[in-house]
Amino acid sequence: MMETRITSRKNPLIQQVRRLLTSKKERETAGLFVADGTKLLEEAIRYYPGLDTVILSDGVTADLPEQVTVVRVPEDVMAYVSPMETPQGALFLCRLPEQKAFDAQAGMLILDGIQDPGNLGTILRTADALDVPVALLEGCADPYSHKVVRASMGAVLRTQPMLSDWEQVHKQCAEAGIPVAVTALSEKSQDIRKADLSKMAVVIGSEGRGVRPEILSQADAQLIIPMNDHCESLNAAVAATIVMWEMKN
């Protein structure tokens, strides 16, 4: 294991990390993403084969694989580069995985335009726990931004979401005989408790506008989560959790 020490905030690696934290384009160009925290580092060591470089504050230790590059920094440099208000002393770079091809499956979740990193991370964490395949359509937050990785509690290090577009998803589901259902507030919507979600692919729409009209118009079914009349909608992550629970039960 190679270990080096960096004491300057202007070091090229430190500057690269800052760019990776804020730019999806930078992550795609470099083929790397960044995550922060000792607990997430433990998850990466255990589950993620693409762990590349680990930056540790003085005094912080970790049982790392031999092939990983280790960089030691003083606390002020860690505070400068870490996105956390109170850094845990561990920040690491991972290689982006090869994009996973879309595979239409019954009992899967399709996310349309989920832009909030907290919501997306929570959904991916729940999907990992319940073993529900997830596909992300256009407009979703980057699953490898540090905010999503953190909100997922490392789920993206264990279970890779698929990336696709609606045209491909619609075509493959139709060819596989898998009905596509959408969650929607409409008179056509069926109570999710009366539908067999385990045989469907279910679309959850964005926090603000819901499922896109073109998806809504082409879907095979519309679903609604029953709730009090005075409640208009649920948080996207909460709605997705309820849908996934129904899929498994």
Side-chain angles (χ1 to χ4, degrees):
M1 185 187 305
M2 183 175 69
E3 181 170 325
T4 60
R5 182 170 179 80
I6 292 174
T7 58
S8 172
R9 298 181 181 187
K10 296 181 180 180
N11 180 275
L13 175 62
I14 300 301
Q15 293 303 314
Q16 181 188 34
V17 170
R18 286 173 63 85
R19 294 193 300 272
L20 291 170
L21 285 167
T22 57
S23 171
K24 180 180 179 181
K25 183 178 180 180
E26 183 74 21
R27 291 191 288 272
E28 291 175 342
T29 299
L32 296 167
F33 67 96
V34 181
D36 199 317
T38 53
K39 179 64 170 66
L40 288 178
L41 177 57
E42 290 175 3
E43 294 294 298
I45 293 168
R46 185 174 181 183
Y47 295 107
Y48 197 75
L51 181 61
D52 185 272
T53 302
V54 177
I55 303 173
L56 298 174
S57 291
D58 291 334
V60 177
T61 60
D63 187 11
L64 298 168
E66 284 295 324
Q67 72 274 15
V68 172
T69 298
V70 181
V71 177
R72 285 281 171 190
V73 297
E75 289 186 2
D76 68 297
V77 174
M78 179 61 74
Y80 170 75
V81 72
S82 172
M84 298 176 67
E85 288 188 15
T86 307
Q88 296 179 8
L91 185 148
F92 56 97
L93 284 69
C94 293
R95 294 183 294 277
L96 284 171
E98 291 188 19
Q99 185 168 320
K100 190 176 181 181
F102 178 73
D103 177 26
Q105 301 174 55
M108 76 180 304
L109 194 69
I110 300 166
L111 304 181
D112 177 40
I114 303 296
Q115 298 177 339
D116 182 85
N119 279 340
L120 179 56
T122 299
I123 293 170
L124 295 177
R125 180 183 181 183
T126 305
D128 178 56
L130 298 179
D131 197 24
V132 173
V134 178
L136 311 183
L137 302 183
E138 313 93 304
C140 285
D142 181 3
Y144 297 100
S145 74
H146 74 276
K147 291 181 180 180
V148 175
V149 176
R150 172 158 292 281
S152 78
M153 291 300 291
V156 295
L157 302 173
R158 299 185 295 269
T159 306
Q160 182 184 347
M162 294 172 274
L163 304 180
S164 189
D165 56 53
W166 168 242
E167 183 178 355
Q168 182 182 31
V169 168
H170 186 233
K171 178 182 178 181
Q172 286 199 23
C173 285
E175 291 174 348
I178 300 170
V180 176
V182 298
T183 53
L185 295 171
S186 76
E187 295 180 357
K188 297 180 181 179
S189 295
Q190 177 187 9
D191 188 323
I192 64 168
R193 297 171 297 181
K194 298 178 181 178
D196 187 354
L197 304 191
S198 67
K199 297 180 180 179
M200 299 178 173
V202 181
V203 183
I204 299 289
S206 71
E207 297 85 351
R209 57 182 172 82
V211 176
R212 281 177 287 161
E214 59 265 39
I215 297 178
L216 190 63
S217 66
Q218 295 179 58
D220 301 296
Q222 297 182 26
L223 304 172
I224 192 168
I225 298 170
M227 63 186 81
N228 282 329
D229 293 338
H230 60 261
C231 294
E232 182 177 329
S233 63
L234 291 171
N235 170 277
V238 173
T241 297
I242 294 172
V243 166
M244 287 187 281
W245 182 256
E246 287 292 327
M247 280 179 174
K248 293 297 183 179
N249 292 276

